[in-house]
Amino acid sequence: NLLPQDTHSHKLRTGCRMRILDTRWLGRHGIGRFAAELRARLSGFEPIHLKGRPSSAVDPWRLHLYLRSVTADLFFSPGYNAPVHATCAFAFCLHDLNHLHVQENSGPLKRAYYEHLIKPAVRRAAVVLTVSEFSRAAICEWAGIAEASVINVGNGVSAPFAAEGPRVEMDRPYFLYVGNHRPHKNFERLLRAFAISGLDQDCLLVSTGTPSRELRSFVAALGLGGCVRFVGSVSDEALASLYRGATGLVLVSLYEGFGLPIVEAMSCGAAVLTSTTASMPETAGGAALLVDPTSVDAIAAGLRQIASDERQTRLAAAAGHE
């Protein structure tokens, strides 16, 4: 079943004439990976036969027209899109409210979209899913609904992310950053922290993704050109190898609805340095080193502590083999 047995389950029983999953969200981003795991596990759902980006401002109207043309009893989206008018029962996953709380992702049109389309959908849906208690509380307060109306389903870890397996080895120990380089990800502050940490002579900072020209110039201006490396887009298997080989994952974002790299890194046996803000302490569950993401000095101190702990672990392991 789509949902656990709870107060909403009677609205989403099996036996529907047709159940539709919005597979347009599939991709290498966070919602895309969530969608892929759902598609692999949900039975009895048909993929949507509708083109266009589900994140488009006009998609709620296109989705409404599409659902009118089919005999569906249930529509489920792993992302934040929903039909402007319900022609069947629907459920969707609102992972967070970053489009309202993160400056570079917000704006008048986005706020209007959330206020006039997503908020009414939250109130009409058979059930709304989200991925953390942090997001659940924020959604309920914003939409003015009872917390029982939104279910936190969390995020899991895909099969490749396990402690056993190949690990990347570089010419120096390395910290790993996983994510894009948008301002709320705080990557520039991480670079500043790495530059003052004193670790740049002995360690690397490795980042997924491809840097912009401006980001490359920023790295060069900090004198980090020889110790910051970008590895582009990587498969889950390659990412798991990077986690296993890393001194630690560093995710000191200003805002995350969940922070999937945290649990992926932990599952691969890597230490984690992350933020005291938003969902990240919840996701880390007491097993990460937490720092104030607005403080370059605090991030630098966290890097030094992770590096020192990792060095002590290596020395102890070497002593144990002697």
Side-chain angles (χ1 to χ4, degrees):
N1 290 332
L2 176 63
L3 298 172
Q5 295 299 311
D6 55 31
T7 56
H8 301 279
S9 61
H10 69 282
K11 299 181 180 180
L12 298 174
R13 294 186 189 277
T14 56
C16 299
R17 287 170 293 170
M18 182 188 296
R19 298 186 292 179
I20 297 174
L21 176 66
D22 198 336
T23 48
R24 295 176 298 164
W25 284 105
L26 293 168
R28 295 295 303 166
H29 44 83
I31 297 178
R33 298 179 71 181
F34 181 81
E37 296 294 344
L38 284 176
R39 183 179 63 169
R41 289 165 172 78
L42 289 177
S43 61
F45 277 80
E46 296 288 332
I48 196 169
H49 297 291
L50 180 65
K51 296 181 179 179
R53 294 182 298 110
S55 58
S56 167
V58 300
D59 192 70
W61 284 272
R62 297 178 66 250
L63 187 55
H64 164 68
L65 294 175
Y66 170 78
L67 292 173
R68 286 184 59 185
S69 71
V70 297
T71 55
D73 281 348
L74 173 64
F75 167 75
F76 174 49
S77 174
Y80 54 83
N81 61 322
V84 68
H85 295 295
T87 55
C88 63
F90 71 92
F92 68 112
C93 188
L94 187 54
H95 292 246
D96 53 47
L97 296 178
N98 88 83
H99 291 121
L100 299 179
H101 296 158
V102 176
Q103 185 174 358
E104 73 265 20
N105 292 338
S106 188
L109 292 179
K110 188 69 73 173
R111 287 193 292 271
Y113 176 85
Y114 269 68
E115 184 67 27
H116 300 295
L117 294 173
I118 294 185
K119 185 179 286 186
V122 167
R123 294 169 176 172
R124 296 193 323 266
V127 68
V128 178
L129 307 182
T130 193
V131 294
S132 66
E133 288 301 303
F134 165 79
S135 289
R136 186 166 79 101
I139 291 165
C140 292
E141 180 180 3
W142 167 72
I145 58 175
E147 290 197 4
S149 301
V150 180
I151 296 176
N152 170 22
V153 295
N155 273 317
V157 177
S158 301
F161 300 102
E164 298 300 322
R167 61 183 58 226
V168 171
E169 293 187 6
M170 298 191 178
D171 52 290
R172 283 178 275 172
Y174 66 91
F175 291 95
L176 179 64
Y177 166 80
V178 177
N180 60 53
H181 303 124
R182 294 173 183 167
H184 78 279
K185 293 292 189 176
N186 213 28
F187 188 65
E188 289 193 2
R189 196 174 269 124
L190 170 58
L191 289 169
R192 291 185 186 277
F194 186 58
I196 70 167
S197 69
L199 298 170
D200 55 303
Q201 299 302 313
D202 302 311
C203 299
L204 301 170
L205 177 60
V206 176
S207 170
T208 59
T210 302
S212 64
R213 181 179 300 177
E214 292 77 13
L215 182 54
R216 285 194 181 278
S217 297
F218 185 76
V219 169
L222 291 173
L224 298 176
C227 52
V228 175
R229 298 179 185 174
F230 297 91
V231 295
S233 178
V234 296
S235 67
D236 283 356
E237 290 75 15
L239 181 57
S241 296
L242 283 165
Y243 283 133
R244 294 185 197 106
T247 294
L249 170 80
V250 186
L251 185 73
V252 286
S253 177
L254 300 174
Y255 184 97
E256 296 288 336
F258 183 83
L260 188 57
I262 295 171
V263 291
E264 290 176 343
M266 289 179 174
S267 186
C268 291
V272 174
L273 177 66
T274 192
S275 302
T276 55
T277 57
S279 66
M280 288 163 279
E282 175 190 341
T283 299
L289 180 60
L290 305 179
V291 295
D292 176 1
T294 66
S295 170
V296 171
D297 289 338
I299 299 169
L303 291 170
R304 287 192 293 268
Q305 182 173 336
I306 294 288
S308 175
D309 291 347
E310 197 268 348
R311 183 173 181 274
Q312 292 301 318
T313 299
R314 289 202 315 270
L315 290 173
H321 285 93
E322 290 178 355

